[in-house]
Amino acid sequence: QVQLVESGGGLVQAGGSLRLSCAASGWSYAMGWFRQAPGKEREFVATIHWNGDRTYYADSAKGRFTITRDNAKNTVYLQMNSLKPEDTAVYYCTAGGSLSTVAGTYNYWGQGTQVTVSS
C-alpha cells in the first residue's frame, strides 16, 4: 500500500504559476497527475516513468506543465505555468505499475488538492 499526500494547491490569477507536490510512502513504477473539475469526469494531466526519462502530457498541459520526480524523496512534482481559468479543478496524485494515461490503471490515489485560477 502506497500513501500519497498532495500539497501546493491554491488560488492564483490567470497567467500565474503553481507547483504541486506529492509525497509517497513508497516507490512506484509510474506516478502521475489527474484532475477533476466540477461536473466533469476525471481527466489525465501528466505521468512520469520511475527514472524520469519518459513523460506524457495531456494536450491541454503540453508546453505549460512540467512533471518531475525525486526518487530519493519519493516525491513527484507538477509545475504549472501560464495557468488558465479552465485549469481550475481538484488535482489528484496517482501511482501505479504502468505508465498510462488511463485512470483505471493506477493503484493508488491521493486525496486531491484544489487549484483555482481566477480570470
Side-chain angles (χ1 to χ4, degrees), residues 18-91:
L18 281 176
R19 189 176 83 152
L20 306 183
S21 300
C22 174
S25 62
W27 178 89
S28 291
Y29 181 86
M31 296 187 73
W33 293 91
F34 284 71
R35 68 185 183 186
Q36 188 166 17
K40 295 187 177 181
E41 294 188 354
R42 192 169 297 191
E43 65 175 8
F44 168 73
V45 177
T47 188
I48 187 168
H49 185 257
W50 72 269
N51 68 2
D53 69 341
R54 279 184 289 161
T55 57
Y56 296 101
Y57 295 91
D59 287 343
S60 60
K62 288 178 182 176
R64 301 188 300 126
F65 296 0
T66 303
I67 187 170
T68 57
R69 65 187 290 174
D70 183 339
N71 287 329
K73 298 180 179 179
N74 281 332
T75 299
V76 65
Y77 305 95
L78 185 68
Q79 177 67 43
M80 303 186 294
N81 300 327
S82 302
L83 283 161
K84 306 174 181 179
E86 51 264 44
D87 294 317
T88 295
V90 177
Y91 283 70

Side-chain angles (χ1 to χ4, degrees), residues 10-18 83 115-119:
L11 173 64
V12 65
Q13 289 189 332
S17 299
L18 281 176
L83 283 161
V115 170
T116 303
V117 184
S118 63
S119 58

